[in-house]
């Protein structure tokens, strides 16, 4: 596996967020997102992905209450 965007992949895994869920939240197809993650994202895109991971994770926490 490539080392590009390892930070995003690790945060998603630690948060229990699957990449397909991230793609759905960002309104892109899973194959498109996977292709984007092959190469290092811009800082702006990384921030957007990290916020999406947090939102998905937070929504799960709300569902458990």
């Amino acid at each position: 596996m490539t080392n590009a965007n390892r930070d995003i992949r690790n945060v998603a895994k630690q948060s229990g967020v699957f990449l397909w869920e991230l793609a759905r939240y960002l309104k892109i197809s899973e194959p498109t997102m996977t292709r984007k993650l092959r190469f290092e994202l811009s800082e702006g895109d990384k921030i957007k992905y990290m916020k999406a991971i947090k939102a998905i994770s937070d929504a799960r926490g709300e569902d458990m209450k």
Side-chain angles (χ1 to χ4, degrees):
M1 187 183 286
T2 180
N3 284 326
N5 302 300
R6 177 63 47 206
D7 51 347
I8 291 173
R9 295 172 193 270
N10 286 339
V11 169
K13 187 173 187 174
Q14 291 169 357
S15 300
V17 175
F18 295 103
L19 294 180
W20 66 264
E21 293 174 300
L22 181 56
R24 183 175 63 182
Y25 185 90
L26 295 170
K27 295 182 173 51
I28 58 176
S29 71
E30 185 178 0
T32 297
M33 192 200 60
T34 302
R35 283 192 297 269
K36 285 181 178 229
L37 291 178
R38 289 180 189 162
F39 302 97
E40 205 61 37
L41 295 170
S42 69
E43 281 305 310
D45 281 343
K46 281 189 178 229
I47 291 169
K48 182 170 76 170
Y49 279 49
M50 294 291 193
K51 285 182 178 179
I53 291 167
K54 182 168 180 1
I56 295 167
S57 180
D58 288 350
R60 280 207 184 118
E62 291 297 317
D63 289 344
M64 291 181 176
K65 290 182 180 177

